[in-house]
Amino acid sequence: NLAYPVQVLVPGGGGTGFFVRRDRELLTVTARHVLFNVRTGQLESGEMTLRALSRNAKEKAVTVIHVNTAQLREAGQIRSDELRDVSVARLATLRPDGLTTIPGVVVTEKSKGAIVVAPFDYLTRYADVDVSSQVFMFGYPSVGVAGSLQIDPTRPLVRGGIVAGLNAALKTIIIDAPVNHGNSGGPVV
């Protein structure tokens, strides 16, 4: 489903991410370097905007969530792992009729079809990854495709590849697949 990846927009850049549900908590996952300066370890910006396509592929409306990352960081709602280049931010509590956002998170636009959220149990553990497995990467390409008439920067692309190797010491996965800037942090299935 092309609604799995979430476009992560930060002033001067961005990347891709995805929503995960753990119990009733809504989290967003992306690459650490999308939100943090790799040299200083500080947030690149005090804000980010998340754009999520509707679960209904025919719907053109999107859900837009504005996040005050500085406020979330101060409240301990953003966690990151520099070595593995991953950041997770808590955004809301899920309810049967919607969600209750935490302070610093505001939903400004909402699609009728809702967002796609992966249950935490669907995430694959490092120990369960096999070298040579086929994978698909979802992402919003940005740098290098700007101005290309064939590519709509508001829609994700799917790229295929394989698990090329594993680094047991760091518990990282090496993927061989064509990617573009902007794909960072997107889901790999």
Side-chain angles (χ1 to χ4, degrees):
N1 187 329
L2 283 180
Y4 266 111
V6 174
Q7 191 172 28
V8 180
L9 302 166
V10 294
T16 305
F18 56 99
F19 293 123
V20 174
R21 172 179 46 83
R22 186 168 192 171
D23 298 323
R24 292 182 46 225
E25 300 301 316
L26 176 66
L27 312 168
T28 187
V29 179
T30 190
R32 185 180 188 280
H33 72 266
V34 171
L35 301 179
F36 292 87
N37 182 299
V38 294
R39 285 184 218 93
T40 66
Q42 300 299 312
L43 283 170
E44 285 285 0
S45 171
E47 61 187 58
M48 74 173 162
T49 301
L50 305 174
R51 282 186 72 257
L53 298 180
S54 170
R55 171 180 306 207
N56 178 351
K58 294 180 182 182
E59 184 181 0
K60 293 189 188 229
V62 297
T63 295
V64 177
I65 302 172
H66 292 282
V67 181
N68 181 327
T69 53
Q71 185 176 351
L72 264 60
R73 178 78 169 161
E74 188 175 305
Q77 300 300 325
I78 297 179
R79 298 205 176 156
S80 64
D81 185 318
E82 182 177 1
L83 190 61
R84 291 177 183 87
D85 192 26
V86 65
S87 286
V88 178
R90 180 174 171 258
L91 302 176
T93 300
L94 296 167
R95 298 184 332 265
D97 62 336
L99 51 90
T100 302
T101 58
I102 65 170
V105 177
V106 178
V107 178
T108 57
E109 296 176 43
K110 189 174 176 186
S111 66
K112 291 180 185 175
I115 59 175
V116 173
V117 180
F120 187 78
D121 294 342
Y122 282 21
L123 302 180
T124 302
R125 302 279 184 227
Y126 174 84
D128 298 327
V129 174
D130 295 320
V131 173
S132 78
S133 293
Q134 185 176 18
V135 294
F136 294 94
M137 300 177 64
F138 295 81
Y140 285 88
S142 57
V143 178
V145 297
S148 172
L149 298 177
Q150 294 84 10
I151 297 176
D152 179 353
T154 66
R155 306 284 302 176
L157 295 179
V158 181
R159 306 298 291 267
I162 64 165
V163 175
L166 301 170
N167 182 328
L170 299 177
K171 290 194 175 182
T172 55
I173 302 164
I174 302 151
I175 297 172
D176 184 8
V179 296
N180 296 299
H181 290 280
N183 282 82
S184 295
V188 178
V189 296

